[in-house]
């Protein structure tokens, strides 16, 4: 999505629907109400497999998925695919189930780990009970492209089913890819977003071994604390969030309600370290997203930071934001409420920005008791911040992932 001499005549990527299921809510409206009220979706894990683990908290979806899906869908899909399909159906319904040529309709849903839960489950079944007990659905459950495939099958999208796999930037990168498809004329409608369902012993142990997770087992709801001086790591979570993007021409022709627009976006690679972030590239990706949208830093009314609650990551991102936007623009991170959805984090942030533009409210950053003195930002700490009259109707979303994946999105009012 690079700005250029022809950018003015390229179709705008309009948002006409949104859907999510996450630890705070099982719909967009329920999630929004919870975020504005300062609700936490993080709780203690009571599963037997947590006994030997150093971390026993996570953000889990509490809704009964069988109330949303058929018995056949529950049997054939990994939980990752189930969450993605539920979110996609909500978004599709809000968009009015557009009448679109299937060849001009695509799906882009990213994930960090895909069906890892099924992989672990079936591996243990094989070891304990032998090959005859392994599910015939094993391979299709564990595919990282499974969520995109299931959504495309369910809704009849034949214009492509893509799966960005870029760690915690996957969902945001999916939206950039989808917007590029709209702007280039490759598709009229694209469902895009991200999902992960990896609250399991292997992932918790892996992140614990690199000391990335909070160990506040005795205080789950206060464990995730983006930008707080006492933060000690992120809280693993699961969930999905997607949006429906359409070309402006297609949306207007059918009289669709327009929720917002993806005005610009950028994807860069740090080429620096498999884990450590490069703040110079974080600055660069934000600047490239602004250029893509044809906007300046002062045109951004607020920012949804990646800010996962890690000691180093939040500080570096704060410095990168300050270098471009200064210390006055309102900044939030809703990971204090939801935990870190990994591949679903950036797309959930995009849904939050859409709702903030629609309502004029910005959810606060939960659990900031004392702002880190090394973070010189206007971090919103109340439950919900009323954006000032005359604020710039544009929000920025940051998403960063292991491997040096950096993504920034600019979302504006329609």
């Amino acid at each position: 999505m690079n700005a250029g001499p022809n950018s003015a005549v390229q179709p705008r990527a309009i948002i006409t629907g949104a859907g999510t299921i996450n630890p705070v809510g099982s719909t967009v409206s329920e999630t929004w109400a919870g975020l504005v009220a300062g609700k936490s979706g993080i709780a203690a894990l009571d599963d037997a497999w947590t006994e030997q683990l150093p971390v026993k908290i996570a953000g889990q979806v509490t809704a009964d998925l069988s109330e949303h899906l058929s018995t056949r869908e529950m049997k054939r899909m990994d939980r990752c695919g189930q969450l993605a399909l539920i979110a996609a159906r909500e978004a599709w319904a809000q968009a009015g189930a557009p009448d679109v040529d299937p060849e001009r309709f695509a799906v882009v849903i990213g994930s960090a780990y895909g069906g890892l839960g099924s992989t672990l489950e079936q591996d243990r079944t094989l070891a304990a009970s032998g090959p005859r007990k392994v599910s015939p659905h094993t391979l299709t459950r564990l595919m990282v492209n499974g969520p995109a495939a299931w959504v495309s099958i369910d809704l009849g999208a034949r214009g492509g089913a893509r799966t960005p796999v870029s760690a915690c930037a996957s969902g945001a990168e999916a939206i950039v890819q989808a917007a590029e498809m709209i702007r280039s004329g490759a598709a009229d409608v694209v469902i895009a977003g991200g999902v992960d369902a990896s609250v399991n012993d292997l992932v918790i142990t892996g992140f614990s071994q690199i000391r990335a997770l909070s160990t506040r087992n005795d205080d789950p709801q206060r464990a995730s604390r983006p930008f707080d001086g006492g933060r000690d790591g992120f809280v693993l979570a699961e969930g999905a969030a997607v949006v429906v993007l359409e070309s402006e021409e297609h949306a207007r022709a059918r009289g669709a309600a327009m929720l917002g627009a993806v005005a610009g976006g950028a994807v860069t690679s740090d080429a620096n370290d498999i884990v450590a972030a490069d703040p110079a590239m974080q600055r660069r990706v934000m600047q490239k997203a602004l250029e893509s949208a044809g906007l300046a830093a002062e045109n951004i009314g607020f920012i949804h930071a990646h800010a996962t609650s890690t000691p180093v990551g939040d500080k570096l991102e704060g410095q990168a934001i300050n270098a471009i936007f200064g210390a006055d623009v309102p900044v939030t991170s809703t990971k204090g409420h939801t935990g870190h959805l990994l591949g679903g984090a950036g797309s959930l942030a995009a849904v939050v920005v859409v709702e903030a533009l629609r309502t004029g409210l910005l959810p606060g950053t939960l659990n900031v008791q004392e702002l880190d003195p090394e973070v010189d930002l206007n971090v919103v700490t109340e439950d919900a911040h009323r954006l000032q009259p005359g604020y710039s109707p544009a929000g920025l979303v940051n998403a960063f992932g292991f491997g040096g994946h950096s993504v920034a999105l600019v979302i504006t009012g329609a």
Side-chain angles (χ1 to χ4, degrees):
M1 297 178 65
N2 295 318
N6 296 321
S7 61
V9 297
Q10 289 181 323
R12 288 203 301 160
I14 300 297
I15 301 167
T16 57
T20 186
I21 181 166
N22 61 74
V24 169
S26 56
T27 63
V28 171
S29 60
E30 186 179 344
T31 298
W32 184 249
L35 294 176
V36 170
K39 176 183 176 181
S40 171
I42 297 167
L45 296 169
D46 56 8
D47 305 88
W49 52 261
T50 65
E51 286 185 12
Q52 302 301 316
L53 300 184
V55 172
K56 307 176 192 299
I57 57 175
Q60 292 183 290
V61 171
T62 58
D64 183 352
L65 303 193
S66 66
E67 294 181 359
H68 299 265
L69 301 169
S70 69
T71 301
R72 188 166 184 261
E73 289 165 338
M74 292 292 292
K75 184 176 182 180
R76 297 180 73 191
M77 296 182 193
D78 178 81
R79 186 172 176 85
C80 191
Q82 294 166 2
L83 295 174
L85 185 56
I86 290 169
R89 285 174 173 171
E90 180 191 4
W92 193 242
Q94 185 183 31
D99 183 10
V100 58
D101 178 355
E103 303 288 339
R104 303 278 303 164
F105 174 27
V107 175
V108 188
I109 296 180
S111 182
Y113 295 110
L116 181 59
S118 290
T119 304
L120 295 174
E121 176 190 63
Q122 294 305 309
D123 181 65
R124 288 161 182 161
T125 297
L126 176 63
S129 305
R132 291 184 178 275
K133 294 297 183 180
V134 172
S135 169
H137 302 297
T138 297
L139 294 181
T140 50
R141 281 183 189 169
L142 65 86
M143 299 188 312
V144 183
N145 63 304
W150 283 117
V151 171
S152 71
I153 292 166
D154 187 65
L155 299 177
R158 296 178 178 170
R162 303 182 181 182
T163 305
V165 182
S166 45
C168 304
S170 300
E173 183 167 343
I175 295 175
V176 172
Q177 287 192 19
E180 288 175 342
M181 294 181 76
I182 297 292
R183 287 168 63 90
S184 70
D188 295 323
V189 180
V190 186
I191 289 184
V195 62
D196 262 303
S198 294
V199 178
N200 57 58
D201 54 351
L202 180 62
V203 173
I204 289 176
T205 299
F207 279 124
S208 294
Q209 288 292 85
I210 58 173
R211 300 181 180 180
L213 296 182
S214 172
T215 56
R216 285 189 170 90
N217 294 317
D218 58 343
D219 197 6
Q221 295 193 346
R222 296 181 183 274
S224 182
R225 5 180 16 105
F227 296 125
D228 182 70
R231 65 191 182 279
D232 70 329
F234 75 85
V235 175
L236 183 66
E238 64 178 1
V242 301
V243 293
V244 176
L245 297 183
E246 297 187 48
S247 69
E248 186 169 9
E249 179 183 6
H250 191 274
R252 290 192 183 281
R254 68 183 188 87
M258 300 186 190
L259 307 180
V262 179
V267 177
T268 65
S269 49
D270 293 3
N272 175 58
D273 186 90
I274 199 65
V275 174
D278 182 350
M281 290 308 297
Q282 292 183 348
R283 294 193 298 271
R284 181 63 181 138
V285 78
M286 287 186 277
Q287 189 61 55
K288 285 173 68 71
L290 290 173
E291 293 168 1
S292 171
L295 298 176
E298 56 266 27
N299 299 131
I300 297 299
F302 58 92
I303 296 171
H304 191 301
H306 183 65
T308 63
S309 184
T310 59
V312 175
D314 289 12
K315 180 177 69 174
L316 293 181
E317 183 182 9
Q319 292 169 352
I321 290 172
N322 182 282
I324 294 177
F325 299 95
D328 294 330
V329 62
V331 176
T332 193
S333 170
T334 52
K335 292 183 180 71
H337 304 74
T338 65
H340 190 359
L341 272 59
L342 304 180
S347 51
L348 180 57
V351 172
V352 170
V353 168
V354 170
E355 289 299 290
L357 289 168
R358 185 183 66 82
T359 63
L361 288 174
L362 186 64
T365 307
L366 201 61
N367 298 325
V368 180
Q369 296 180 332
E370 185 175 345
L371 187 66
D372 184 340
E374 294 190 76
V375 174
D376 186 15
L377 295 176
N378 178 18
V379 177
V380 177
T381 57
E382 60 264 39
D383 287 346
H385 170 75
R386 173 66 65 179
L387 295 166
Q388 296 300 313
Y391 79 95
S392 297
L396 180 88
V397 172
N398 280 338
F400 308 120
F402 281 3
H405 301 279
S406 295
V407 180
L409 288 169
V410 176
I411 298 174
T412 64

